[in-house]
Amino acid sequence: GKTNTVRAITIVLSQKAPTLQTDLNLDTVYNLSITLLRLRPKHKFLVLEMGVDHKGEMDSYLWLVRPTIGVVTGISPVHSEPELLGSLEGIIEEKGKLLEALPKDGWAILNQDDENVRHMLKKTKAQILWYGTGEKPTYAEASVGKADFWAEEIKVDLTGTSFSLQADKLNKKSLRVKMGLIGKHFVHSALVAAAVGWIFGLKEEEITSGLNRLEALPGRLSLEKGPKGTLLLDDHLRANPASTAAGLETLSTIPHKGRKIAILGEM
């Protein structure tokens, strides 16, 4: 979910001022330095995707830039092989370095729906904003209460995903959002973008205007016309077990009278 979260944040912040984001098609190792070289005085916001798959990578990213806002979208056992990050704990440790580097007056935006992310709150001295879908158990952690930004009434069909964005921090505590992205999991990206927008003082209509402009990227659950009247949900790009599970859930929940066929390739 990192790439679409970067896109969502960028499109929302762009409603207020020129915003630069990392290239969607470059590996992070080269992406950050190339993006930083593209910075110009006109840019007021910089949104960077910091993907890690080897130990020590986050250190090199944080040497290049010190963010004031850090987002953890989720923890899954991708890149947990011995030659990469080694284990789920290794992934948490490497990603946790981002939270540890945030200043006290900065913000950590954390996914409340992910148990592993909930346990990462102790890694930061920054202010914390929680986001989630509202479909979660009661959490045992005393310091994790109701999410600051959450979603209700989520509906997914072939035209996109709509939901009610809820936040006590917004003047209008309920905002209706309709994105061109197809899939319930994309709601998390929208919630993060709304939280970042709130931090920088965007108006509610600016937040919803940005989110409503989100469309699917090719190969990331993009809708395409197939042969003989079929429709294709193309989600082939950089698939992993977590994204594949999300894609299958999306396929199963979309209202459709005809047959549904899942074609799975090697990951």
Side-chain angles (χ1 to χ4, degrees):
K2 293 189 301 298
T3 299
N4 274 298
T5 300
V6 166
R7 293 180 64 223
I9 295 172
T10 301
I11 201 168
V12 166
L13 291 181
S14 295
Q15 306 303 302
K16 183 173 185 178
T19 304
L20 179 66
Q21 70 174 43
T22 40
D23 191 290
L24 300 177
N25 299 308
L26 288 177
D27 184 90
T28 310
V29 174
Y30 306 102
N31 212 342
L32 260 67
S33 54
I34 291 174
T35 301
L36 292 174
L37 290 171
R38 290 169 50 213
L39 269 174
R40 298 294 181 267
K42 67 176 182 179
H43 294 123
K44 302 304 178 185
F45 302 112
L46 174 65
V47 188
L48 302 172
E49 179 176 344
M50 294 183 172
V52 292
D53 56 22
H54 285 82
K55 293 180 180 179
E57 271 190 314
M58 188 63 76
D59 296 308
S60 63
Y61 303 155
L62 295 172
W63 179 80
L64 286 170
V65 61
R66 287 280 174 164
T68 54
I69 298 175
V71 178
V72 179
T73 57
I75 302 292
S76 62
V78 181
H79 311 311
S80 60
E81 295 87 343
E83 67 275 15
L84 299 178
L85 291 171
S87 63
L88 193 65
E89 291 72 23
I91 296 170
I92 293 173
E93 179 181 356
E94 194 67 23
K95 290 191 174 184
K97 293 176 181 178
L98 170 63
L99 301 181
E100 293 168 357
L102 295 173
K104 286 184 179 180
D105 59 350
W107 292 90
I109 303 177
L110 306 178
N111 183 358
Q112 197 179 60
D113 293 339
D114 189 307
E115 182 179 1
N116 292 310
V117 175
R118 295 200 300 272
H119 290 301
M120 295 176 73
L121 65 91
K122 297 178 181 178
K123 289 183 175 291
T124 186
K125 56 184 179 290
Q127 306 165 88
I128 295 177
L129 288 175
W130 295 98
Y131 68 94
T133 61
E135 300 174 0
K136 54 187 181 301
T138 301
Y139 299 140
E141 296 90 342
S143 53
V144 180
K146 186 178 73 172
D148 298 289
F149 290 80
W150 72 98
E152 296 178 356
E153 303 172 13
I154 302 173
K155 296 180 180 180
V156 180
D157 57 32
L158 292 175
T159 66
T161 303
S162 62
F163 65 96
S164 176
L165 193 160
Q166 307 285 330
D168 292 336
K169 296 182 179 300
L170 297 174
N171 293 325
K172 297 178 182 177
K173 296 183 179 181
S174 179
L175 305 176
R176 196 65 195 170
V177 176
K178 172 69 175 184
M179 307 182 294
L181 302 175
I182 302 174
K184 177 182 173 183
H185 53 291
F186 290 124
V187 171
H188 278 145
S189 298
L191 293 173
V192 172
V196 175
W198 173 80
I199 290 172
F200 287 113
L202 269 73
K203 298 176 182 178
E204 283 87 351
E205 53 267 28
E206 292 175 321
I207 293 173
T208 54
S209 176
L211 294 177
N212 291 342
R213 290 170 52 199
L214 278 169
E215 297 291 340
L217 291 170
R220 296 180 188 264
L221 273 180
S222 55
L223 186 64
E224 302 173 16
K225 290 185 178 181
K228 299 184 177 180
T230 58
L231 291 174
L232 304 178
L233 268 178
D234 183 2
D235 197 36
H236 77 274
L237 194 61
R238 298 176 183 174
N240 59 56
S243 69
T244 301
L248 289 172
E249 180 183 2
T250 300
L251 179 66
S252 68
T253 55
I254 287 178
H256 184 62
K257 294 181 180 179
R259 287 193 301 167
K260 299 178 182 178
I261 302 171
I263 303 173
L264 304 181
E266 186 176 355
M267 286 176 247

